[in-house]
Amino acid sequence: MKKVLMIAGGIIFVLIVVTIVMSVNDKIYPISMGMHDEMNLEEGLALNGNDPVAYFTEKSAVKGDAQFTHTWNNAEWHFTSDSTKNMFAANPEKYAPQFGGYCAFAVSKGFTADSDPATFHIEDNKLYIFHAEDVKQEFLSAKEENKKLAHSNWDEQ
């Protein structure tokens, strides 16, 4: 019996460690614990280097160029031109993704999670980023409720 308990304890320990490692790698944290950063960054870079203005003007995720860089909210933002850089600098809240660029669906459920900047939705002139297309569709299936929950969860942190 003692051997079985030791094996079971070892398995539980391994599962806990694996869960923690996976959570850290995907930036999955309960919002209420405040363990997440203000912005979802990859090596200090917002939106994996996509131009935040292009989501609105091109309706697409477009890679920016490091020669057109602006720092805002402790993040480096890349742009496709001086023009889009200047548009962002004049009003960053207009173009920056909601919830610091974390997955909007995860935020609606009270967590942060990494996102794929190519999976996005613009609603009421606000940019929402998602982890994957299926998650985006689930968010949109109850869009008003999910938006309300996400904003409430994010604002309470």
Side-chain angles (χ1 to χ4, degrees), residues 51-54 57-58 62-70 77-89:
D51 182 334
V53 176
T57 59
E58 305 295 321
V62 179
K63 278 287 186 199
D65 188 319
Q67 74 175 339
F68 305 111
T69 299
H70 179 73
W77 301 78
H78 288 182
F79 301 89
T80 56
S81 67
D82 267 331
S83 174
T84 59
K85 176 180 134 181
N86 293 336
M87 289 170 69
F88 181 86

Side-chain angles (χ1 to χ4, degrees), residues 53-129:
V53 176
Y55 288 97
F56 296 89
T57 59
E58 305 295 321
K59 307 293 186 226
S60 181
V62 179
K63 278 287 186 199
D65 188 319
Q67 74 175 339
F68 305 111
T69 299
H70 179 73
T71 301
W72 176 77
N73 209 13
N74 297 317
E76 185 174 300
W77 301 78
H78 288 182
F79 301 89
T80 56
S81 67
D82 267 331
S83 174
T84 59
K85 176 180 134 181
N86 293 336
M87 289 170 69
F88 181 86
N91 191 359
E93 289 86 2
K94 178 178 179 178
Y95 299 105
Q98 300 298 290
F99 322 120
Y102 290 100
C103 175
F105 182 71
V107 173
S108 76
K109 301 305 178 200
F111 292 87
T112 58
D114 207 3
S115 59
D116 173 7
T119 308
F120 70 97
H121 177 74
I122 295 175
E123 179 82 25
D124 299 326
N125 290 316
K126 300 290 182 190
L127 175 61
Y128 297 88
I129 306 292

